[in-house]
Amino acid sequence: GESVGLHLPTLSVQEGDNSIINCAYSNSASDYFIWYKQESGKGPQFIIDIRSNMDKRQGQRVTVLLNKTVKHLSLQIAATQPGDSAVYFCAENILPGQNFVFGPGTRLSVLP
Amino acid sequence: NAGVMQNPRHLVRRRGQEARLRCSPMKGHSHVYWYRQLPEEGLKFMVYLQKENIIDESGMPKERFSAEFPKEGPSILRIQQVVRGDSAAYFCASSRQGSEAFFGQGTRLTVV
């Protein structure tokens, strides 16, 4: 289930189930989006990206969905594994040449 | 191709000292971004630089903080007269124009 922790919302899923992590972005003009995974003590790691001219993009076990109408981005992880436990951030880039703005993050906890 | 290199990984400074954080972008990347992260929180944008230019410093405190990305050498984030509230993880990312940003492993600054 999903709960709000002290700072980061947490999503707990059973190993083997699918995970869906959601992100609301701020600017309707944003044209490029990235999902990052951050493990404890490490820097954010690029997972998958999508441009605003697409609504879906698939990688290995991950799918990103973009709904521009409601400014919503989601990351789907198939067959979640213990190694997927981390904090996941979405980032939006409004225009090339501008910085990336990060969402607040979601902690994914995979239960055995 | 080495990733984004940040050093030092850990830095301890006494109140009032200066902290210098270095970031060497990936080869071929001319865009550098600095972010700050407190424990259990998201990434807060500080500054975005291209070679020899500050593009966006809207997230940088007006006093004590400065950043540069010279023509040769790494990008430097400099914090003068550090205070306890500066203790955080500082992450650097680099990218090509309009492409994904890759992060370093961060510098964890502790002010004692």
Side-chain angles (χ1 to χ4, degrees):
Chain A
E2 192 165 324
S3 62
V4 177
L6 187 61
H7 293 288
L8 287 171
T10 299
L11 176 66
S12 299
V13 297
Q14 291 292 139
E15 183 178 351
D17 286 353
N18 297 334
S19 303
I20 300 176
I21 301 170
N22 297 303
C23 177
Y25 62 91
S26 59
N27 195 314
S28 55
S30 293
D31 78 329
Y32 180 48
F33 306 87
I34 304 177
W35 278 102
Y36 287 92
K37 172 186 179 183
Q38 188 178 26
E39 295 173 287
S40 180
K42 296 185 178 180
Q45 177 188 357
F46 172 89
I47 302 173
I48 191 168
D49 59 358
I50 189 167
R51 297 203 179 267
S52 59
N53 61 351
M54 303 173 69
D55 52 24
K56 180 179 179 179
R57 189 157 188 236
Q58 286 185 291
Q60 188 176 13
R61 278 202 312 119
V62 294
T63 301
V64 55
L65 298 176
L66 175 61
N67 185 331
K68 294 181 283 293
T69 304
V70 294
K71 293 189 290 185
H72 183 267
L73 196 66
S74 68
L75 177 71
Q76 300 178 0
I77 305 173
T80 312
Q81 301 169 0
D84 295 326
S85 292
V87 177
Y88 289 81
F89 294 98
C90 66
E92 61 182 301
N93 185 230
I94 298 170
L95 288 171
Q98 296 196 3
N99 75 81
F100 289 87
V101 176
F102 279 77
T106 297
R107 179 178 299 284
L108 176 65
S109 178
V110 181
L111 307 172
Chain B
N1 186 12
V4 177
M5 303 300 292
Q6 287 188 250
N7 68 81
R9 289 293 308 276
H10 300 274
L11 181 62
V12 179
R13 284 287 177 265
R14 294 187 185 279
R15 281 179 293 172
Q17 290 184 321
E18 178 180 287
R20 280 186 176 239
L21 288 62
R22 293 175 201 80
C23 170
S24 296
M26 287 178 68
K27 189 176 180 182
H29 288 191
S30 59
H31 300 244
V32 165
Y33 313 80
W34 284 94
Y35 291 84
R36 170 189 158 110
Q37 187 178 41
L38 293 171
E40 295 298 300
E41 293 192 7
L43 291 134
K44 183 172 180 284
F45 169 75
M46 298 182 73
V47 62
Y48 164 37
L49 311 103
Q50 294 179 22
K51 284 282 186 183
E52 298 184 281
N53 285 306
I54 296 175
I55 306 302
D56 181 354
E57 56 182 348
S58 58
M60 198 103 101
K62 294 286 184 279
E63 296 178 353
R64 302 189 298 108
F65 284 72
S66 62
E68 62 176 11
F69 187 18
K71 188 176 179 182
E72 301 291 337
S75 175
I76 307 285
L77 178 67
R78 182 180 175 208
I79 311 172
Q80 294 178 288
Q81 299 175 315
V82 296
V83 301
R84 288 245 171 91
D86 297 332
S87 296
Y90 292 84
F91 288 98
C92 164
S94 73
S95 75
R96 292 190 175 91
Q97 172 99 350
S99 294
E100 64 269 32
F102 292 91
F103 280 82
Q105 293 302 307
T107 294
R108 277 143 191 89
L109 173 65
T110 303
V111 180
V112 297

